[in-house]
Amino acid sequence: MQVLFDIMRWTHIVGGFLALSVFWLPIVAKKGGRVHNNVGWVYVWAMAAVSVTAFFMGIYRLTWDAGPDADAIPFSWFLLFIAILSSATAWYGVRVLRYKRRKAGHRNPVDLLFPSLLFGAGIGISIYGFAIDFPLLQYFPLLGLFLGGSQLLYWLKAPKTRSHWVVEHIVGMLSCCIATVTAFTVFGAPRLLQVDSVSLLVWFLPTIVLVPLIIGFTIVYKRKMDRPINR
């Protein structure tokens, strides 16, 4: 089992650094262009590897080897939440493109499963964070509560604007970027900098920086594209 864990860990590290290296390129590249599309897929596959391996390592730490560190269990739950957050948002960001021409509610079970897991994880892990008084788990999973709920509403309702798929694609992929950078600040940065921990402000900095970017892109594309679909 330890050998499998080591394979997963190195796959996670490689996938994480790849995602961290390229995530900004689709943001600055021309939307819909070759760089945006090709690098975007590199990022999605890198995050798929990160999500699968993070989920495995989180389960492994919780069930087989929590280690002597008192914070190992809470950080394992955070790793599981990051796995759910990154996979759900990346999947959502890709799938809204496939169904961009839909005119009715969407009921695909897999597309509803991911946001449901994200919503449930956001509630459960946040409650756990308050129970053990662990600030990172108290507040960060609320992002999953918001994103999971908004994704479910988007799928279940008929679109009302032409920009719906662009806006939701941006929200999905930039939310996945939040997961990417946050995971680095929580797990990667302390090891690279050889420090025991990073401040709570630094942990939330990716959310603080990227949420206004999401809002800004959303406003731009709504102004550019929106008018009632049936007119």
Side-chain angles (χ1 to χ4, degrees):
M1 185 62 72
Q2 182 61 44
V3 174
L4 179 59
F5 179 84
D6 289 340
I7 292 172
M8 290 289 182
R9 182 179 61 186
W10 281 107
T11 303
H12 183 82
I13 291 171
V14 172
F17 271 103
L18 178 58
L20 198 63
S21 299
V22 305
F23 83 94
W24 58 275
L25 283 170
I27 297 175
V28 301
K30 179 183 177 182
K31 305 303 178 277
R34 181 177 296 179
V35 172
H36 179 88
N37 293 340
N38 291 344
V39 178
W41 277 112
V42 171
Y43 175 75
V44 166
W45 283 109
M47 286 308 298
V50 168
S51 300
V52 170
T53 53
F55 193 84
F56 173 85
M57 290 189 295
I59 294 294
Y60 179 87
R61 290 298 190 192
L62 288 172
T63 55
W64 285 293
D65 182 23
D69 187 353
D71 289 337
I73 296 296
F75 277 114
S76 295
W77 280 111
F78 180 76
L79 191 62
L80 285 174
F81 179 73
I82 283 290
I84 296 170
L85 174 63
S86 55
S87 60
T89 50
W91 178 265
Y92 182 72
V94 171
R95 294 289 283 179
V96 295
L97 297 180
R98 178 164 184 174
Y99 294 99
K100 65 183 181 181
R101 292 185 175 86
R102 71 184 181 94
K103 301 253 176 97
H106 181 70
R107 300 293 189 275
N108 185 296
V110 177
D111 292 329
L112 298 181
L113 174 63
F114 273 102
S116 299
L117 286 174
L118 183 56
F119 186 84
I123 294 175
I125 295 178
S126 182
I127 291 173
Y128 171 69
F130 279 100
I132 65 172
D133 194 24
F134 198 82
L136 181 63
L137 294 186
Q138 289 174 340
Y139 301 108
F140 189 77
L142 296 179
L143 181 63
L145 186 66
F146 171 76
L147 290 173
S150 62
Q151 288 178 14
L152 282 172
L153 287 175
Y154 172 74
W155 285 129
L156 294 173
K157 289 184 175 181
K160 294 182 179 179
T161 59
R162 294 186 183 277
S163 68
H164 69 93
W165 59 276
V166 176
V167 169
E168 297 304 318
H169 175 69
I170 290 169
V171 172
M173 299 314 299
L174 286 182
S175 298
C176 190
C177 292
I178 290 176
T180 305
V181 183
T182 302
F184 175 74
T185 60
V186 172
F187 296 108
R191 290 169 174 79
L192 286 178
L193 298 175
Q194 310 248 321
V195 294
D196 292 334
S197 63
V198 179
S199 73
L200 194 63
L201 175 61
V202 175
W203 286 344
F204 281 91
L205 193 58
T207 302
I208 295 170
V209 171
L210 289 173
V211 165
L213 194 61
I214 293 173
I215 295 171
F217 274 124
T218 297
I219 292 172
V220 168
Y221 279 94
K222 277 181 173 290
R223 287 178 177 173
K224 184 184 295 187
M225 299 179 63
D226 272 357
R227 59 186 186 275
I229 283 180
N230 294 324
R231 289 185 184 177

